Amino acid sequence: MADGPAASTATADVSPHADFEQVGAVADAVLYEGYLLYPYRRSSAKNRVRWQFGVLFPRDWVEADGPVTPTVSGSADSWYQRTECLARIRRPDATVRVRLRYLQMQRKQVQETGPDGYRDVPSLRTADGTVHLTFDEAVPREAEVTLRLDERAHHGTTVPVGAPGGTDVEPLPGDAGRVVRVREELRGSVTVTAERLAPDLVRLQVRTTHTGLAAAPRTARDEALRGAFIATHTLIGGDGVEFVSLIDPPAALHDQVRACRNEFTFPVLGGVSSLGGDPPTARVLLSAPIILPDHPQVAPESPGDLHDAAEIDEILTLRTMLLTDEEKREARATDPRAAAILDRVDTMPPEVFARLHGAVRSLTPSRPAAPPAEHPAAPPVERPAWWQEGGDDGPAPATDTVLVDGVPLGGGSRVRLRPRGCGADAQDMFLAGRTAEVAAVFHDVDGSVHLAVTLDDDPASELHTWYGRFHYFRPDELEPLEPTREPAPSDTPAAEA
């Protein structure tokens, strides 16, 4: 269960290690995203295609069919990650610390004792009734790099990273067999450089590269994963530095932010906002292969990770409760993390389960700013929120208006789109600067307002209007182009019905 941005508060000058702890829960959710999917059993088809985010393979294997196309999403296999962000320098002796985190695959093979030694088997039941299954696991790994932001920072620093290979053997009770866990060596490097843009501003680049031996070009992905960095992501902090939001940057740094190149990962502000001011800054960044908002956090109602993409705790918890005893036995034998989920679900107190049904963070609707004196237009009538008496009386999407920059906008108004870029719709970036016509004003149940619009240059705009398909924006994401005109009867959108 993911929550929205953390509240902005003033923060003291603390170590980057403490900053990293602030985003620890979110970083762990990234690390184990897709590690194991409901219904958490080895036999589930979903659990035969695992580890889809932040996977770094050897370059030759990745490019066997040609170069890969860089993207900010880490759902595509690659041989490197590149993070670029802006950092403000607050002290002459400022330093940056980068923590690389990833998983190393571990092959768990169950072996049965036989007359001629041990032989591989898919499963084995010991005398005490415990079932052991052959299944791939993963081991968490970390490495750190520190860079002092002095005159030599543009040369950067490169350090080798990786994990050794190894074999662990666990005897099973009663000499029934053993479990053998095998890990292949991982080799990579992290390079951190800083480009000085102003006396108090640097563009920081962190590049993580797989440098290990390449598997054969046609090696199956399941086999190649044994030598891959999995769920790779970085935490970036430091002493005497603050990071600028790349999602909602200050106007003065818009061009510098646009020049930042992020490939197969994307950095967002972590923890709480430094100094509690505007523009937003933070003392730590989380650069993840999953696109997140600034200041992501795990909802306090979540009792633990379920490892499933875009998880909704209540639904997954209910479905896990409905697994049969046999399915639960298989899940427990599949992986210790699956066993932990089942233990948590089976022993969850009613009051904890009740909290999973949902939470309302605020019931206070936002109010538009008062119009300037030069705009004498009367403000729209403010409706009570939905839970208040009269809150559902008489909404009229086609005729309602909302005040934006002193101009009442409603059906028929022409606007320019200025999406803030911090919402849930990643496609908003393609609509920035385009002009549109307002079709209706909708009042949400929480008291907020959204305007439905159709794009001027969309050849299907009339069709969209006919069956009520619109783009929706908040009032602060629209720029009025002209005073509102009275809507004609034909302007009434189908969505009003």
Side-chain angles (χ1 to χ4, degrees):
M1 180 186 291
D3 209 358
S8 297
T9 59
T11 59
D13 189 20
V14 295
S15 74
H17 294 287
D19 288 328
F20 290 165
E21 292 303 318
Q22 294 181 29
V23 295
V26 174
D28 285 346
V30 171
L31 186 66
Y32 288 103
E33 175 62 41
Y35 175 88
L36 194 65
L37 303 176
Y38 172 87
Y40 310 116
R41 305 192 315 270
R42 184 187 67 176
S43 60
S44 169
K46 291 192 296 183
N47 285 312
R48 299 172 191 170
V49 185
R50 302 164 67 197
W51 296 311
Q52 300 296 317
F53 300 97
V55 183
L56 305 186
F57 292 97
R59 182 172 185 174
D60 289 348
W61 187 89
V62 174
E63 297 187 337
D65 296 319
V68 296
T69 301
T71 170
V72 296
S73 172
S75 60
D77 293 338
S78 177
W79 53 275
Y80 73 97
Q81 285 182 347
R82 173 183 176 136
T83 296
E84 286 193 350
C85 58
L86 300 183
R88 292 193 179 277
I89 301 175
R90 298 306 188 190
R91 295 206 310 259
D93 60 344
T95 60
V96 166
R97 182 176 288 107
V98 176
R99 178 178 294 178
L100 175 71
R101 307 174 82 237
Y102 58 93
L103 295 176
Q104 179 187 21
M105 181 172 165
Q106 178 171 264
R107 177 67 174 171
K108 183 184 77 172
Q109 178 64 58
V110 177
Q111 295 182 337
E112 182 180 35
T113 304
D116 299 322
Y118 296 100
R119 64 184 184 92
D120 294 347
V121 293
S123 65
L124 180 65
R125 184 187 298 270
T126 55
D128 60 1
T130 302
V131 177
H132 301 268
L133 298 180
T134 294
F135 195 66
D136 292 335
E137 302 171 335
V139 181
R141 304 295 189 188
E142 290 186 352
E144 285 200 3
V145 185
T146 300
L147 176 69
R148 182 166 179 171
L149 298 179
D150 54 20
E151 65 278 0
R152 298 164 295 180
H154 68 279
H155 294 298
T157 182
T158 299
V159 300
V161 296
T167 300
D168 299 329
V169 178
E170 175 191 351
L172 295 178
D175 197 28
R178 64 184 186 178
V179 176
V180 180
R181 292 177 169 87
V182 180
R183 298 172 300 280
E184 291 189 7
E185 181 184 21
L186 298 184
R187 291 184 181 180
S189 66
V190 174
T191 300
V192 184
T193 59
E195 175 188 1
R196 182 81 62 163
L197 303 179
D200 65 341
L201 183 70
V202 297
R203 178 181 291 113
L204 189 70
Q205 182 187 117
V206 179
R207 185 181 179 94
T208 304
T209 306
H210 193 302
T211 62
L213 298 177
R218 299 303 171 186
T219 300
R221 187 177 187 273
D222 286 349
E223 290 296 319
L225 279 167
R226 300 187 182 191
F229 292 77
I230 299 171
T232 312
H233 61 282
T234 52
L235 302 177
I236 309 174
D239 296 318
V241 295
E242 292 174 354
F243 299 96
V244 177
S245 171
L246 272 67
I247 295 176
D248 189 18
L253 298 179
H254 187 265
D255 291 341
Q256 291 89 333
V257 166
R258 286 181 62 88
C260 291
R261 291 177 54 198
N262 288 282
E263 299 173 353
F264 305 106
T265 187
F266 189 74
V268 297
L269 301 184
V272 294
S273 180
S274 178
L275 304 181
D278 188 24
T281 59
R283 291 180 49 85
V284 64
L285 281 179
L286 167 61
S287 188
I290 302 169
I291 297 177
L292 299 168
D294 278 337
H295 307 296
Q297 60 178 338
V298 175
E301 294 81 12
S302 294
D305 196 354
L306 294 167
H307 308 306
D308 214 323
E311 64 191 42
I312 302 175
D313 289 34
E314 183 182 34
I315 293 176
L316 283 181
T317 299
L318 284 169
R319 297 192 70 174
T320 302
M321 288 178 174
L322 294 176
L323 293 175
T324 65
D325 291 342
E326 181 59 33
E327 289 172 330
K328 289 184 178 182
R329 279 192 291 270
E330 183 187 351
R332 292 182 185 278
T334 295
D335 190 272
R337 293 187 177 277
I341 291 174
L342 293 174
D343 289 342
R344 187 169 68 242
V345 168
D346 289 344
T347 60
M348 184 177 294
E351 61 273 15
V352 174
F353 179 77
R355 291 201 298 266
L356 302 184
H357 189 61
V360 177
R361 302 299 178 208
S362 172
L363 293 177
T364 304
S366 58
R367 301 298 185 190
E374 61 268 26
H375 293 286
V381 177
E382 292 187 354
R383 302 184 187 279
W386 66 271
W387 67 89
Q388 296 173 332
E389 184 177 356
D392 58 352
D393 293 343
T399 57
D400 283 350
T401 61
V402 61
L403 207 62
V404 177
D405 293 338
V407 178
L409 297 182
S413 299
R414 297 194 65 255
V415 295
R416 189 177 304 278
L417 306 181
R418 302 294 188 190
R420 292 176 58 85
C422 55
D425 191 348
Q427 296 190 38
D428 281 355
M429 69 178 72
F430 302 112
L431 304 180
R434 295 168 69 175
T435 59
E437 181 175 317
V438 176
V441 178
F442 292 97
H443 298 265
D444 296 338
V445 296
D446 62 357
S448 61
V449 176
H450 281 82
L451 287 84
V453 305
T454 56
L455 300 175
D456 288 344
D457 58 356
D458 186 348
S461 61
E462 291 186 4
L463 179 63
H464 294 329
T465 300
W466 177 72
Y467 59 71
R469 180 176 180 178
F470 305 110
H471 296 280
Y472 294 88
F473 292 92
R474 299 187 303 272
D476 62 353
E477 296 181 300
L478 302 178
E479 173 189 328
L481 292 181
E482 59 186 30
T484 302
R485 65 174 175 83
E486 291 296 326
S490 61
D491 290 333
T492 303
E496 182 184 356

